[in-house]
Amino acid sequence: MKIGILALQGAVAEHIRMIEKAGGEGVSVKRPEQLRELQGIIIPGGESTTIGKLMRTYGFIDALREFHKQGNPVFGTCAGLIVIAKEIAGQPEAHLELMDIKVARNAFGRQRESFETDLEVKGIADDVRAVFIRAPLIEAVGAGVEVLSSYKGQIVAAQQGSLLATSFHPELTDDHRIHGYFLDMVKKAHQS
Amino acid sequence: METGTSRVKKGMAEMQKGGVIMDVMNAEQAKIAEAAGASAVMALERVPSDIRAAGGVARMADPTIVEEVMKVVSIPVMAKARIGHFVEAKILESMGVDYIDESEVLTPADEVFHINKKDFTVPFVCGARDLGEALRRIGEGASMIRTKGEPGTGNIVEAVRHMRMMMSQIRKVQGMSKDELMAEAKNLGAPYELLLQVHETGKLPVVNFAAGGVATPADAALMMHLGSDGVFVGSGIFKSDNPEKFAKAIVEATTHYTDYAHIAEISKNLGTPMKGIEISKLPAAERMQERGW
């Protein structure tokens, strides 16, 4: 399984390390042409405004929509979650508009409010160490979206078919179970 | 639930990787930086080249400027405190600044001690010229390092010197046998445990950006080639002819630092970059990189 990590800005190497720990192959993606050789993609944490701008400049918006339409799974963490959302609270325009969720940016506050905690993530484990850094929240989900995890009653992880999203950073820990879960999604998507 | 953990503070710097952090002096410049794709901004009263020109004591910015910048952008906002001035740092932390730069660009407040950065929830970035200096700062709790270069000169030569020095020292430490490490720790003035980590992983334990002299897209790409995780651009943007275009071009060159044809394209008709200073013409007393110990 060859998984791309969108490498326009943000924490790319950490995702590559986790995908390889989970038994896949991780490659950094800087050009849309590279999508052809991939079975899935991760949009990493970073600054969503920066990543969104560079995606537009290099033609990634249409390319990634097409990539997903062809049945390839997409996983977004933190900024990546914002990038794949249909709606961003307080902003007229979203980015990829793939996942039927409404997200709020910097929902917990500024960096001093960033934190880590243990969370139950449905279908994965009840003790996932979750690192939240100036993290977004999922404010609302559409009918086809399954909530995988909540923190203090607010949604922080969700799945919609071949789309997976977390507000937190599984790549900053040594626990590769969420990446393993995503690899299983990719496997299934390419079996059928 | 824990805030201010080492992972949360270092993780914040990880999210900046591949990005450009730009110096801004007001809300309008902050908006230009964000629109150009900056991954964070550094709110300042004066950019380094103006500090250099003005002389006198340079201090933490007026909180009004920092607040004004925090209000208008959604990307992280950093601000500078003087070396050793933990009260300036506490003030910035209380305002909710996302990252503090304990910076040699400002006049040091303490000629012996740096701030005990472990005492803060907010993360710190510090300048370094070599591996020993970087590991001392990390030992004090810095969650991110940047090369010092020579701020406000628009001359990349010192940033290159510092990055090359750090990378060659890292390679040397990585290749040493374990029984040589304690002597090397003494030699570098570096905490042994951190040096051991460098030996085992072949890299600094935190993110390492380039700073101090980046003036063109090609400068930014050069620093990425030398092993930087990203770049700080101080005077380079708002002292150039066309800040908007310059800022955007530096962001793109940092992302696509190996794509030379693309860098050629975005470097066309950028206008004049900031006027640079030849380092040998700079009196020793005016070199900011010597500040910090």
Side-chain angles (χ1 to χ4, degrees), chain A residues 8-11 14 30-31 45-47 49-50 53-54 57-58 105-106 110-112 114-116 129 131 133-134 151 169 171-172, chain B residues 1-3 5 7-8 11-12 14-17 34-35 37-39 74-77 93-94 96 98 121 123 252 255-256 259 262:
Chain A
L8 297 175
Q9 191 270 323
E14 289 70 15
K30 285 186 183 264
R31 294 285 184 194
E47 281 308 314
T49 53
T50 307
K53 277 190 180 88
L54 291 168
T57 308
Y58 300 119
R105 295 181 58 207
N106 301 332
R110 304 197 71 96
Q111 172 60 19
R112 65 178 172 194
S114 295
F115 64 98
E116 51 181 291
R129 193 65 180 166
V131 185
I133 296 173
R134 289 171 45 93
Y151 175 73
H169 294 280
E171 78 282 9
L172 292 182
Chain B
M1 193 272 269
E2 303 127 57
T3 57
T5 61
R7 186 149 57 187
V8 161
M12 161 77 196
E14 301 285 350
M15 298 310 139
Q16 288 290 314
K17 284 194 296 194
E34 184 175 46
S39 58
S74 62
I75 55 178
V77 177
E93 182 179 55
S94 79
D98 296 300
T121 306
E252 288 198 38
T255 299
H256 286 295
D259 188 342
H262 184 66

Short mmCIF file of all heavy atoms in Angstrom, two decimals, chain A residues 8-11 14 30-31 45-47 49-50 53-54 57-58 105-106 110-112 114-116 129 131 133-134 151 169 171-172, chain B residues 1-3 5 7-8 11-12 14-17 34-35 37-39 74-77 93-94 96 98 121 123 252 255-256 259 262:
data_model
loop_
_atom_site.label_atom_id
_atom_site.label_comp_id
_atom_site.label_asym_id
_atom_site.label_seq_id
_atom_site.Cartn_x
_atom_site.Cartn_y
_atom_site.Cartn_z
N LEU A 8 3.13 20.10 1.30
CA LEU A 8 3.24 21.50 0.93
C LEU A 8 3.72 22.31 2.12
O LEU A 8 4.52 23.22 1.99
CB LEU A 8 1.88 22.01 0.44
CG LEU A 8 1.37 21.30 -0.82
CD1 LEU A 8 -0.03 21.78 -1.18
CD2 LEU A 8 2.33 21.53 -1.97
N GLN A 9 3.24 21.97 3.30
CA GLN A 9 3.71 22.57 4.55
C GLN A 9 3.16 21.70 5.67
O GLN A 9 2.09 21.12 5.55
CB GLN A 9 3.19 24.02 4.69
CG GLN A 9 3.82 24.83 5.82
CD GLN A 9 3.06 24.70 7.14
OE1 GLN A 9 1.84 24.63 7.15
NE2 GLN A 9 3.79 24.62 8.25
N GLY A 10 3.93 21.58 6.78
CA GLY A 10 3.44 20.85 7.94
C GLY A 10 4.28 19.64 8.30
O GLY A 10 5.38 19.47 7.78
N ALA A 11 3.74 18.82 9.20
CA ALA A 11 4.50 17.69 9.77
C ALA A 11 4.36 16.44 8.90
O ALA A 11 3.47 15.62 9.13
CB ALA A 11 4.03 17.43 11.18
N GLU A 14 6.63 12.74 10.18
CA GLU A 14 6.01 11.98 11.27
C GLU A 14 4.97 11.01 10.73
O GLU A 14 4.86 9.86 11.19
CB GLU A 14 5.34 12.94 12.26
CG GLU A 14 6.29 13.77 13.10
CD GLU A 14 7.06 14.84 12.34
OE1 GLU A 14 6.67 15.16 11.19
OE2 GLU A 14 8.05 15.36 12.88
N LYS A 30 4.45 16.39 -3.52
CA LYS A 30 4.55 17.83 -3.78
C LYS A 30 3.89 18.25 -5.09
O LYS A 30 3.71 19.43 -5.34
CB LYS A 30 6.02 18.25 -3.80
CG LYS A 30 6.64 18.32 -2.40
CD LYS A 30 8.04 18.88 -2.44
CE LYS A 30 8.69 18.87 -1.08
NZ LYS A 30 8.58 20.15 -0.37
N ARG A 31 3.59 17.28 -5.94
CA ARG A 31 3.00 17.57 -7.25
C ARG A 31 1.79 16.67 -7.51
O ARG A 31 1.83 15.49 -7.21
CB ARG A 31 4.03 17.31 -8.36
CG ARG A 31 5.22 18.24 -8.33
CD ARG A 31 4.83 19.60 -8.84
NE ARG A 31 5.96 20.50 -8.90
CZ ARG A 31 5.83 21.82 -9.06
NH1 ARG A 31 4.63 22.35 -9.20
NH2 ARG A 31 6.88 22.59 -9.09
N GLY A 45 -1.01 17.79 9.61
CA GLY A 45 -1.15 19.00 10.40
C GLY A 45 -0.17 20.04 9.89
O GLY A 45 0.86 19.71 9.32
N GLY A 46 -0.49 21.29 10.12
CA GLY A 46 0.33 22.41 9.66
C GLY A 46 -0.56 23.62 9.80
O GLY A 46 -1.43 23.64 10.67
N GLU A 47 -0.38 24.60 8.95
CA GLU A 47 -1.29 25.74 8.96
C GLU A 47 -2.25 25.59 7.78
O GLU A 47 -1.83 25.58 6.62
CB GLU A 47 -0.51 27.06 8.88
CG GLU A 47 0.09 27.46 10.21
CD GLU A 47 -0.93 27.47 11.35
OE1 GLU A 47 -2.04 28.01 11.16
OE2 GLU A 47 -0.64 26.92 12.43
N THR A 49 -4.38 27.56 6.40
CA THR A 49 -4.43 28.66 5.42
C THR A 49 -3.26 28.52 4.43
O THR A 49 -3.42 28.70 3.23
CB THR A 49 -4.36 30.05 6.08
OG1 THR A 49 -3.21 30.09 6.94
CG2 THR A 49 -5.57 30.37 6.88
N THR A 50 -2.07 28.17 4.96
CA THR A 50 -0.90 28.00 4.10
C THR A 50 -1.10 26.81 3.16
O THR A 50 -0.90 26.93 1.95
CB THR A 50 0.36 27.75 4.97
OG1 THR A 50 0.46 28.79 5.94
CG2 THR A 50 1.62 27.71 4.13
N LYS A 53 -3.72 27.53 0.48
CA LYS A 53 -3.23 28.43 -0.58
C LYS A 53 -2.33 27.70 -1.55
O LYS A 53 -2.46 27.84 -2.77
CB LYS A 53 -2.46 29.59 0.04
CG LYS A 53 -3.42 30.62 0.49
CD LYS A 53 -2.79 31.91 0.89
CE LYS A 53 -3.93 32.79 1.29
NZ LYS A 53 -4.29 32.66 2.69
N LEU A 54 -1.40 26.92 -1.01
CA LEU A 54 -0.47 26.20 -1.89
C LEU A 54 -1.20 25.13 -2.71
O LEU A 54 -0.83 24.87 -3.85
CB LEU A 54 0.67 25.60 -1.06
CG LEU A 54 1.64 26.66 -0.46
CD1 LEU A 54 2.55 26.04 0.58
CD2 LEU A 54 2.47 27.33 -1.56
N THR A 57 -2.56 26.99 -5.64
CA THR A 57 -1.49 27.39 -6.56
C THR A 57 -1.03 26.23 -7.44
O THR A 57 -0.73 26.40 -8.61
CB THR A 57 -0.28 27.93 -5.75
OG1 THR A 57 -0.75 28.92 -4.86
CG2 THR A 57 0.79 28.54 -6.65
N TYR A 58 -0.96 25.02 -6.86
CA TYR A 58 -0.39 23.89 -7.60
C TYR A 58 -1.42 22.91 -8.16
O TYR A 58 -1.07 21.80 -8.53
CB TYR A 58 0.62 23.15 -6.72
CG TYR A 58 1.75 24.06 -6.29
CD1 TYR A 58 1.98 24.32 -4.95
CD2 TYR A 58 2.55 24.67 -7.25
CE1 TYR A 58 3.00 25.18 -4.57
CE2 TYR A 58 3.57 25.53 -6.87
CZ TYR A 58 3.79 25.78 -5.54
OH TYR A 58 4.79 26.62 -5.16
N ARG A 105 -12.15 26.43 13.47
CA ARG A 105 -10.69 26.50 13.61
C ARG A 105 -10.29 27.01 15.00
O ARG A 105 -11.04 27.75 15.61
CB ARG A 105 -10.09 27.42 12.55
CG ARG A 105 -10.26 26.91 11.13
CD ARG A 105 -9.62 27.87 10.14
NE ARG A 105 -8.20 28.03 10.45
CZ ARG A 105 -7.49 29.13 10.13
NH1 ARG A 105 -8.07 30.14 9.55
NH2 ARG A 105 -6.21 29.20 10.43
N ASN A 106 -9.10 26.63 15.45
CA ASN A 106 -8.56 27.08 16.75
C ASN A 106 -9.64 27.04 17.83
O ASN A 106 -9.78 27.98 18.61
CB ASN A 106 -7.98 28.49 16.64
CG ASN A 106 -6.87 28.59 15.60
OD1 ASN A 106 -6.18 27.60 15.34
ND2 ASN A 106 -6.70 29.75 15.00
N ARG A 110 -5.73 29.47 21.99
CA ARG A 110 -4.40 29.67 21.45
C ARG A 110 -3.45 28.56 21.91
O ARG A 110 -3.86 27.63 22.60
CB ARG A 110 -3.87 31.06 21.86
CG ARG A 110 -4.81 32.19 21.45
CD ARG A 110 -4.12 33.53 21.47
NE ARG A 110 -3.17 33.66 20.39
CZ ARG A 110 -3.43 34.25 19.21
NH1 ARG A 110 -4.61 34.77 18.96
NH2 ARG A 110 -2.50 34.32 18.28
N GLN A 111 -2.15 28.69 21.59
CA GLN A 111 -1.20 27.63 21.90
C GLN A 111 -1.16 27.27 23.39
O GLN A 111 -1.05 26.11 23.75
CB GLN A 111 0.20 28.02 21.41
CG GLN A 111 1.32 27.08 21.83
CD GLN A 111 1.13 25.65 21.33
OE1 GLN A 111 0.38 25.38 20.39
NE2 GLN A 111 1.80 24.72 21.98
N ARG A 112 -1.29 28.26 24.29
CA ARG A 112 -1.20 27.93 25.72
C ARG A 112 -2.33 27.00 26.14
O ARG A 112 -2.24 26.32 27.16
CB ARG A 112 -1.17 29.20 26.58
CG ARG A 112 -2.44 30.01 26.48
CD ARG A 112 -2.41 31.24 27.36
NE ARG A 112 -3.59 32.04 27.07
CZ ARG A 112 -3.76 33.29 27.44
NH1 ARG A 112 -2.82 33.91 28.12
NH2 ARG A 112 -4.86 33.94 27.14
N SER A 114 -3.33 24.50 24.22
CA SER A 114 -3.08 23.20 23.59
C SER A 114 -2.81 22.15 24.67
O SER A 114 -2.25 22.47 25.71
CB SER A 114 -1.89 23.29 22.64
OG SER A 114 -2.19 24.16 21.57
N PHE A 115 -3.20 20.89 24.42
CA PHE A 115 -3.11 19.88 25.49
C PHE A 115 -3.01 18.47 24.92
O PHE A 115 -3.18 18.25 23.73
CB PHE A 115 -4.36 19.97 26.38
CG PHE A 115 -5.64 19.64 25.66
CD1 PHE A 115 -6.21 18.37 25.76
CD2 PHE A 115 -6.28 20.59 24.86
CE1 PHE A 115 -7.39 18.05 25.08
CE2 PHE A 115 -7.46 20.28 24.19
CZ PHE A 115 -8.02 19.02 24.30
N GLU A 116 -2.73 17.51 25.80
CA GLU A 116 -2.83 16.11 25.42
C GLU A 116 -3.66 15.36 26.45
O GLU A 116 -3.73 15.74 27.61
CB GLU A 116 -1.46 15.47 25.23
CG GLU A 116 -0.46 15.64 26.35
CD GLU A 116 0.87 14.98 26.00
OE1 GLU A 116 0.91 13.74 25.94
OE2 GLU A 116 1.87 15.70 25.81
N ARG A 129 -3.62 8.11 22.95
CA ARG A 129 -3.06 9.38 23.40
C ARG A 129 -3.30 10.41 22.31
O ARG A 129 -2.84 10.25 21.16
CB ARG A 129 -1.55 9.23 23.66
CG ARG A 129 -0.95 10.37 24.43
CD ARG A 129 -1.52 10.41 25.81
NE ARG A 129 -1.01 11.47 26.66
CZ ARG A 129 -1.58 11.83 27.81
NH1 ARG A 129 -2.68 11.24 28.23
NH2 ARG A 129 -1.07 12.77 28.54
N VAL A 131 -2.96 14.31 21.00
CA VAL A 131 -2.27 15.58 21.17
C VAL A 131 -3.00 16.65 20.36
O VAL A 131 -3.11 16.54 19.14
CB VAL A 131 -0.79 15.48 20.71
CG1 VAL A 131 -0.04 16.77 21.01
CG2 VAL A 131 -0.09 14.29 21.35
N ILE A 133 -3.14 20.50 19.18
CA ILE A 133 -2.33 21.71 19.06
C ILE A 133 -3.10 22.77 18.27
O ILE A 133 -3.34 22.61 17.08
CB ILE A 133 -0.98 21.39 18.38
CG1 ILE A 133 -0.20 20.43 19.30
CG2 ILE A 133 -0.18 22.66 18.10
CD1 ILE A 133 1.07 19.90 18.72
N ARG A 134 -3.51 23.84 18.96
CA ARG A 134 -4.34 24.86 18.32
C ARG A 134 -5.38 24.15 17.43
O ARG A 134 -5.55 24.47 16.26
CB ARG A 134 -3.48 25.82 17.48
CG ARG A 134 -2.61 26.75 18.33
CD ARG A 134 -1.62 27.53 17.47
NE ARG A 134 -2.20 28.08 16.27
CZ ARG A 134 -2.71 29.31 16.16
NH1 ARG A 134 -2.69 30.12 17.18
NH2 ARG A 134 -3.23 29.72 15.03
N TYR A 151 -14.52 14.66 22.78
CA TYR A 151 -13.84 15.12 23.98
C TYR A 151 -14.72 16.18 24.62
O TYR A 151 -15.07 17.17 23.98
CB TYR A 151 -12.46 15.71 23.63
CG TYR A 151 -11.75 16.32 24.80
CD1 TYR A 151 -11.19 15.51 25.79
CD2 TYR A 151 -11.64 17.70 24.93
CE1 TYR A 151 -10.56 16.07 26.89
CE2 TYR A 151 -11.00 18.27 26.01
CZ TYR A 151 -10.47 17.45 27.00
OH TYR A 151 -9.83 17.99 28.08
N HIS A 169 -3.35 14.84 16.80
CA HIS A 169 -2.18 14.41 16.02
C HIS A 169 -1.69 13.02 16.41
O HIS A 169 -0.77 12.91 17.22
CB HIS A 169 -1.02 15.39 16.23
CG HIS A 169 -1.28 16.75 15.70
ND1 HIS A 169 -1.14 17.06 14.37
CD2 HIS A 169 -1.67 17.90 16.31
CE1 HIS A 169 -1.43 18.34 14.18
NE2 HIS A 169 -1.76 18.87 15.34
N GLU A 171 0.18 11.25 14.82
CA GLU A 171 1.56 11.10 14.32
C GLU A 171 2.60 11.64 15.31
O GLU A 171 3.79 11.41 15.12
CB GLU A 171 1.70 11.78 12.95
CG GLU A 171 1.83 13.30 12.95
CD GLU A 171 0.53 14.06 13.15
OE1 GLU A 171 -0.51 13.42 13.49
OE2 GLU A 171 0.54 15.30 13.01
N LEU A 172 2.16 12.34 16.34
CA LEU A 172 3.14 12.86 17.31
C LEU A 172 3.37 11.89 18.47
O LEU A 172 4.10 12.19 19.41
CB LEU A 172 2.70 14.22 17.86
CG LEU A 172 2.71 15.38 16.87
CD1 LEU A 172 2.31 16.68 17.56
CD2 LEU A 172 4.09 15.56 16.22
N MET B 1 -6.02 15.54 31.35
CA MET B 1 -5.73 16.60 30.38
C MET B 1 -4.55 17.45 30.85
O MET B 1 -4.57 17.97 31.94
CB MET B 1 -6.99 17.47 30.22
CG MET B 1 -6.96 18.40 29.05
SD MET B 1 -6.20 19.98 29.39
CE MET B 1 -7.61 20.95 29.90
N GLU B 2 -3.50 17.52 30.03
CA GLU B 2 -2.32 18.29 30.43
C GLU B 2 -1.98 19.32 29.36
O GLU B 2 -1.90 18.99 28.18
CB GLU B 2 -1.11 17.36 30.61
CG GLU B 2 -1.33 16.24 31.60
CD GLU B 2 -1.02 14.87 31.01
OE1 GLU B 2 0.12 14.69 30.54
OE2 GLU B 2 -1.92 14.01 31.00
N THR B 3 -1.74 20.57 29.80
CA THR B 3 -1.31 21.61 28.87
C THR B 3 0.20 21.83 29.03
O THR B 3 0.79 21.40 30.03
CB THR B 3 -2.02 22.95 29.14
OG1 THR B 3 -1.75 23.31 30.50
CG2 THR B 3 -3.51 22.88 28.93
N THR B 5 2.83 20.50 27.87
CA THR B 5 3.79 19.39 27.94
C THR B 5 4.84 19.59 26.85
O THR B 5 4.63 20.33 25.89
CB THR B 5 3.09 18.04 27.68
OG1 THR B 5 2.52 18.06 26.36
CG2 THR B 5 1.99 17.77 28.69
N ARG B 7 5.67 17.57 24.61
CA ARG B 7 5.15 17.12 23.31
C ARG B 7 4.26 18.17 22.65
O ARG B 7 4.32 18.38 21.44
CB ARG B 7 4.37 15.82 23.51
CG ARG B 7 3.92 15.18 22.24
CD ARG B 7 3.86 13.68 22.32
NE ARG B 7 3.00 13.22 23.41
CZ ARG B 7 2.91 11.93 23.74
NH1 ARG B 7 3.59 11.02 23.10
NH2 ARG B 7 2.11 11.55 24.72
N VAL B 8 3.45 18.83 23.46
CA VAL B 8 2.56 19.87 22.93
C VAL B 8 3.38 21.07 22.44
O VAL B 8 3.08 21.66 21.40
CB VAL B 8 1.53 20.28 24.02
CG1 VAL B 8 0.90 21.62 23.70
CG2 VAL B 8 0.46 19.21 24.17
N GLY B 11 5.52 19.87 19.45
CA GLY B 11 4.58 19.54 18.37
C GLY B 11 4.14 20.78 17.62
O GLY B 11 3.98 20.77 16.40
N MET B 12 3.96 21.87 18.36
CA MET B 12 3.57 23.13 17.72
C MET B 12 4.63 23.55 16.69
O MET B 12 4.29 24.01 15.59
CB MET B 12 3.42 24.18 18.83
CG MET B 12 3.47 25.61 18.39
SD MET B 12 1.93 26.14 17.63
CE MET B 12 2.51 27.62 16.84
N GLU B 14 6.64 21.42 15.16
CA GLU B 14 6.56 20.43 14.06
C GLU B 14 5.55 20.89 13.01
O GLU B 14 5.74 20.70 11.81
CB GLU B 14 6.10 19.05 14.59
CG GLU B 14 6.99 18.45 15.66
CD GLU B 14 8.30 17.87 15.15
OE1 GLU B 14 8.45 17.78 13.92
OE2 GLU B 14 9.16 17.56 15.99
N MET B 15 4.45 21.51 13.48
CA MET B 15 3.40 21.95 12.55
C MET B 15 3.84 23.14 11.70
O MET B 15 3.18 23.50 10.74
CB MET B 15 2.11 22.30 13.32
CG MET B 15 1.52 21.13 14.06
SD MET B 15 1.34 19.70 12.98
CE MET B 15 1.87 18.39 14.09
N GLN B 16 4.95 23.77 12.08
CA GLN B 16 5.46 24.91 11.31
C GLN B 16 6.38 24.46 10.18
O GLN B 16 6.76 25.26 9.32
CB GLN B 16 6.23 25.86 12.24
CG GLN B 16 5.34 26.63 13.19
CD GLN B 16 4.50 27.66 12.46
OE1 GLN B 16 4.99 28.39 11.62
NE2 GLN B 16 3.22 27.68 12.73
N LYS B 17 6.76 23.18 10.19
CA LYS B 17 7.78 22.72 9.23
C LYS B 17 7.40 23.00 7.78
O LYS B 17 6.23 22.92 7.41
CB LYS B 17 8.05 21.23 9.43
CG LYS B 17 8.90 20.99 10.67
CD LYS B 17 9.47 19.59 10.71
CE LYS B 17 8.41 18.54 10.83
NZ LYS B 17 8.97 17.24 11.21
N GLU B 34 -0.16 36.70 6.03
CA GLU B 34 -1.09 35.56 6.07
C GLU B 34 -1.61 35.24 4.66
O GLU B 34 -1.66 34.09 4.26
CB GLU B 34 -2.26 35.86 7.02
CG GLU B 34 -3.21 34.68 7.18
CD GLU B 34 -4.31 34.93 8.22
OE1 GLU B 34 -4.92 36.02 8.18
OE2 GLU B 34 -4.55 34.05 9.06
N ALA B 35 -1.97 36.30 3.91
CA ALA B 35 -2.49 36.10 2.56
C ALA B 35 -1.44 35.48 1.64
O ALA B 35 -1.75 34.76 0.70
CB ALA B 35 -2.99 37.41 1.98
N GLY B 37 0.66 33.27 2.57
CA GLY B 37 0.88 31.87 2.94
C GLY B 37 1.89 31.67 4.07
O GLY B 37 2.40 30.56 4.25
N ALA B 38 2.18 32.71 4.85
CA ALA B 38 3.07 32.55 6.01
C ALA B 38 2.46 31.52 6.96
O ALA B 38 1.24 31.45 7.11
CB ALA B 38 3.22 33.89 6.74
N SER B 39 3.32 30.70 7.60
CA SER B 39 2.79 29.71 8.54
C SER B 39 2.67 30.30 9.94
O SER B 39 2.02 29.72 10.80
CB SER B 39 3.68 28.47 8.55
OG SER B 39 4.99 28.81 8.89
N SER B 74 -5.39 34.47 11.77
CA SER B 74 -5.76 33.22 12.43
C SER B 74 -4.56 32.27 12.56
O SER B 74 -4.64 31.25 13.20
CB SER B 74 -6.90 32.55 11.67
OG SER B 74 -6.46 32.23 10.36
N ILE B 75 -3.45 32.62 11.91
CA ILE B 75 -2.23 31.81 12.04
C ILE B 75 -1.54 32.17 13.37
O ILE B 75 -1.87 33.18 13.97
CB ILE B 75 -1.27 32.03 10.83
CG1 ILE B 75 -0.95 33.52 10.65
CG2 ILE B 75 -1.87 31.47 9.56
CD1 ILE B 75 0.04 33.81 9.52
N PRO B 76 -0.59 31.32 13.84
CA PRO B 76 0.07 31.61 15.12
C PRO B 76 0.83 32.94 15.11
O PRO B 76 1.37 33.34 14.08
CB PRO B 76 1.05 30.45 15.29
CG PRO B 76 0.54 29.37 14.41
CD PRO B 76 -0.14 30.04 13.27
N VAL B 77 0.85 33.59 16.27
CA VAL B 77 1.58 34.85 16.42
C VAL B 77 2.70 34.66 17.44
O VAL B 77 2.47 34.17 18.55
CB VAL B 77 0.64 35.99 16.89
CG1 VAL B 77 1.42 37.27 17.12
CG2 VAL B 77 -0.46 36.21 15.86
N GLU B 93 3.35 35.74 27.52
CA GLU B 93 2.56 34.53 27.76
C GLU B 93 1.16 34.90 28.24
O GLU B 93 0.16 34.32 27.79
CB GLU B 93 3.26 33.65 28.80
CG GLU B 93 2.49 32.35 29.07
CD GLU B 93 3.20 31.46 30.10
OE1 GLU B 93 3.49 31.93 31.23
OE2 GLU B 93 3.46 30.30 29.77
N SER B 94 1.08 35.89 29.14
CA SER B 94 -0.23 36.27 29.68
C SER B 94 -1.14 36.82 28.59
O SER B 94 -2.36 36.74 28.69
CB SER B 94 -0.06 37.30 30.80
OG SER B 94 0.16 38.58 30.23
N GLY B 96 -1.30 35.64 25.63
CA GLY B 96 -1.75 34.56 24.76
C GLY B 96 -0.95 34.42 23.48
O GLY B 96 -1.39 33.78 22.53
N ASP B 98 1.50 32.84 20.89
CA ASP B 98 1.61 31.40 20.65
C ASP B 98 3.03 30.87 20.78
O ASP B 98 3.23 29.67 21.01
CB ASP B 98 1.08 31.07 19.25
CG ASP B 98 -0.40 31.38 19.13
OD1 ASP B 98 -1.19 30.80 19.88
OD2 ASP B 98 -0.76 32.25 18.30
N THR B 121 4.14 27.70 30.00
CA THR B 121 3.21 26.87 29.21
C THR B 121 3.45 27.16 27.73
O THR B 121 3.30 26.28 26.89
CB THR B 121 1.75 27.22 29.56
OG1 THR B 121 1.61 27.11 30.97
CG2 THR B 121 0.77 26.29 28.89
N PRO B 123 5.50 27.77 24.34
CA PRO B 123 6.81 27.30 23.87
C PRO B 123 7.75 28.44 23.45
O PRO B 123 7.29 29.55 23.16
CB PRO B 123 6.45 26.43 22.66
CG PRO B 123 5.10 26.85 22.23
CD PRO B 123 4.42 27.52 23.37
N GLU B 252 6.70 29.90 -1.68
CA GLU B 252 6.74 28.85 -2.72
C GLU B 252 8.12 28.24 -2.84
O GLU B 252 8.27 27.03 -3.06
CB GLU B 252 6.29 29.43 -4.06
CG GLU B 252 4.80 29.69 -4.08
CD GLU B 252 4.27 29.85 -5.51
OE1 GLU B 252 4.74 29.13 -6.39
OE2 GLU B 252 3.39 30.71 -5.70
N THR B 255 8.66 25.64 -0.10
CA THR B 255 7.98 24.36 -0.37
C THR B 255 8.69 23.58 -1.48
O THR B 255 8.93 22.38 -1.35
CB THR B 255 6.51 24.62 -0.80
OG1 THR B 255 5.86 25.27 0.27
CG2 THR B 255 5.78 23.33 -1.11
N HIS B 256 9.01 24.27 -2.58
CA HIS B 256 9.57 23.58 -3.76
C HIS B 256 11.05 23.90 -3.92
O HIS B 256 11.48 24.32 -4.99
CB HIS B 256 8.79 23.98 -5.01
CG HIS B 256 7.43 23.34 -5.06
ND1 HIS B 256 7.27 21.98 -5.17
CD2 HIS B 256 6.20 23.86 -4.99
CE1 HIS B 256 5.97 21.70 -5.17
NE2 HIS B 256 5.30 22.82 -5.06
N ASP B 259 12.96 22.51 -6.94
CA ASP B 259 12.44 22.75 -8.29
C ASP B 259 12.98 24.09 -8.80
O ASP B 259 12.33 25.13 -8.67
CB ASP B 259 10.91 22.74 -8.23
CG ASP B 259 10.28 22.78 -9.62
OD1 ASP B 259 10.99 23.15 -10.58
OD2 ASP B 259 9.10 22.45 -9.73
N HIS B 262 11.05 26.27 -11.30
CA HIS B 262 9.93 26.96 -10.65
C HIS B 262 10.43 28.18 -9.86
O HIS B 262 9.81 29.24 -9.89
CB HIS B 262 9.18 25.99 -9.74
CG HIS B 262 7.97 26.58 -9.10
ND1 HIS B 262 6.87 26.97 -9.84
CD2 HIS B 262 7.68 26.90 -7.82
CE1 HIS B 262 5.96 27.49 -9.03
NE2 HIS B 262 6.43 27.45 -7.79
#
